[in-house]
Amino acid sequence: MSKYEVNGRLYSAEPAPGQCLRTFLRDLEVFGVKKGCDAGDCGACTVWIDGTPFHSCLVPAFRGEGRRITTIEGLGQDGRLHPIQQAFHDAQAFQCGYCAAGMMMTTASAAFDAAHKADLPHALKGNICRCTGYRSIVDALSGRKNIEDDVAGRALGASLPNPFTDAILTGKARYTMDVAIAGLLHLKVLRSPHAHARLTKIDKSKALAVPGVVAVYTWEDVPRRLYSTALHEDHLVDPDDTYMLDNVARFVGQRLVAVVAGSEAAAEAGVRALVVDYEILPAVFDPFAAMEPAAPVLHDRGEVVADSGNIFCTLQGEIGDVAKGFAEAEIVHEKTYSTSRVQHVHLETHGSIAWKGEDGRWHVRTSSQGPFAARTKLAYLMGIPAAQIHVFTERVGGGFGGKQEMVSEDLPLFASMKLGGRPVKWEWTREDEFLGATTRHQMTSRIKLGARRDGTLVALDVDVVSNTGAYGNHASETLAAAMASPFAAYRCPNKKGRGRVVYTNMIPGGGFRGYGASQTTFAMECAIDELAATLGIDPFEMRWRNVVRPGDNVESIWKEPSDASFGSHGIDQCLEIVQRELAKGNGTPKPEGDDWLEGTGSAMAMLECGPPTEHRSGAEMKLLADGTYHLACGSSEMGNGIATAHRQMAAAVVGVRAADVAIVNADTDRTPYDTGTFASTGTVVAGKAVLAAAEAMKADILDFASRHTGTPADQCRLDNDAVICGNRRIALSDLHAEGTRVDHRFAVSRKAYLSPRTIAFNVQGVRLAVHRVTGEIRILHSVHAADIGRPINPMQCRGQLDGAVAMGYGWALIENMVHEDGHMVNPQLRNCRVPAFADTPHTDIFFADTVDSIGPLGAKSQGECAINPVAPAVANALAHATGARFTHLPFTPDRLFETLASVT
């Protein structure tokens, strides 16, 4: 038996032939080593071998024998944080935390010297963070402290650390797959190699003959029940067009057969041993071609409601008289813009583990933004009461809307139910994510604007076509969002629009940060700039003149009344800030040479805080025997910082330190119901529930103290860890003891609903340089201003905005899923890149000075809308630099080359 020294501890173990060091270490239950790619692209698995950092997924396990292996768990010594861990603590240089271990192992090594710090784009080229935008990581490496002291009574508006900081930074935090379970089985799936095909024969025999394979499941074995993978409160907004496993494949990558085995290797071998015969069916990939009468129809069952052929739904409406408006217009602009598919690339891939517990119930440990909605769907599919299923998350490694989908929970649960309750694990690979998860919907938008010569809009006509791919999860809801806020943001008496969702044989679209509004914000903001240029009006002035204001109806193309209203209105401030900062400049010149062209652009975005459909949340709060508090809320914490914000909100009400409020979240057994953490609702819905519960807790304590002491209620108040009644000060722990004596429980529960919906604004400014020969684009100055009401945690809000803006730059400039006949040809992070440190410009972030009258404690959402104005701001800056308008994302050099060649 070989000997391995890991974090100073000796292990006797023998790696499997060909096993990499990452999986070997995790087999030893060293879970601080994360999986993000298994190809050496993301750096999440970085460890030291004899003090030198390596991506452990690229190192054969046997090469670690006789060497000193150090992981994040061994970085600190004698219970003290390593200096780099302390730096990441003080700067809060993480959000979901999944990449943090790899980042620290890279930057803490002796080889990471002053020269590396001076060239971070090169030094961090092997480590990806999808959440932070890298700004807080720079802060950590610069020794900057972003956190404030946790002081009783001052929690609101303080930059306090995440409650799970130490666990994340020391590798003790447990993400979905960071658990050892005896007798664990592994599930893998056969994915379709064809864009459209009918399975005519499935031969399981060779797969079942593979040593270690225990079961193979096809469409004939699983429940034949239609459902949607999308997670919403109202499931009727999504089409029931999906089976757990189907006999018809409608996109390349669709799961077709599940193999369960005693090891991942055996499960993979079982998948490769399957023999499947296909009848190839006609396929269609372009939504416009899919709407033609002769196009092959993807869903011809009666259960799927469609307008005609492949059109799943049409949304349309008109306000005023658009034809009259255009007749009165002095200037008309019309153009078509299109956006691309992108993948969420949360570093923690999808994955779930299901088993039967000692309580006789079914337990599903998963990485999800909506465990309660997932439980409802699982109960429906398995035909059992929801009370028999427990769905929970522990630590979630990013989401961005990609985990507002039930795609990994059902097959492990089904297999466990078939296999006597044995635990079954399904962990997705990075290629699985690219081929089988969801993407942002590709949309094509035709915008027609009519205006007077002074820039006043008089007519707006839009036509949007959304390519939902093979299935309609989130299809109608993202289209509704696309047809809403980007057009409601502008005052115009005559508006008309039509939007269509179309099935094609492409990978399905789904929920993605910005949720449909990103695509049409790109189109609308480009069109506004072009119209301003035609009129000779400054783009900022064009927006000031036409932006919606308090007192206006908040409406896009529908006459029906909306519950969206202005709890605060900071768009004027945002526009002013970005205009001022761009004019002031940041001192960064464009590169030397006549081939570099320079331009400036801006764009704005408006977003209702929450979806128009039902959304609800609950919170429970208890006073504990030691005088501290317990808070339970169903929201998922996935790097959005919602657990920190909820704890601060509760602490602010009862007047204690945030550290005196312990929190549990996203567990269908231990927390109240929550629709899900998506659509910018963590603050404005779950936050309202937390606020109501905290206020009820405060009232309950004071009421009991008043009765217990015989002191008038108006003479009782909370004072940190005590209550003062008149001249008497009673410790909360003593008060709790008195309550226990008379069976007073000091426990409250409250619910909150999403209505009315307040409105957030964001403005992005960009100055860039583009090389007329190579098409290279460099961002010289990036400015973002956000109207988010009162920030509960300013540091955390900046982190959310930084991450959203970075993701926006990725969508605009880098990320490019390339498909040929439905096949993705670059399903790897090195070929379908997301922004690395070198790709992510520093963004100056500002907040409008507003306090929202609708959101809890004056706050409103900030994590989603910031992505929306980034791509159009880049497009507008690019047009300003070159005089040419580029209308399709992303702006990669190959797309720009031909047009730039003609620029003089």
Side-chain angles (χ1 to χ4, degrees), residues 743-766:
D743 197 30
H744 187 87
R745 300 177 184 177
F746 293 109
V748 297
S749 178
R750 292 294 184 269
K751 298 177 182 178
Y753 299 85
L754 178 64
S755 191
R757 294 175 297 147
T758 190
I759 296 170
F761 290 98
N762 295 75
V763 176
Q764 175 72 32
V766 173

Side-chain angles (χ1 to χ4, degrees), residues 155 163 617-619 621 631-637 640-653 658 661 663-665 674 677 681-691 694 792-793 796 856-857:
S617 186
M621 195 168 179
L631 176 65
C633 186
S635 298
S636 292
E637 168 59 60
N640 50 349
I642 205 62
T644 313
H646 287 168
R647 197 168 72 145
Q648 286 183 241
M649 294 168 76
V653 172
V661 180
I663 188 167
V664 62
N665 57 289
D674 183 270
T677 311
T681 54
T683 297
V684 296
V685 185
K688 279 187 177 180
V690 168
L691 179 62
I792 300 297
N793 184 314
Q796 190 169 268
L857 298 175

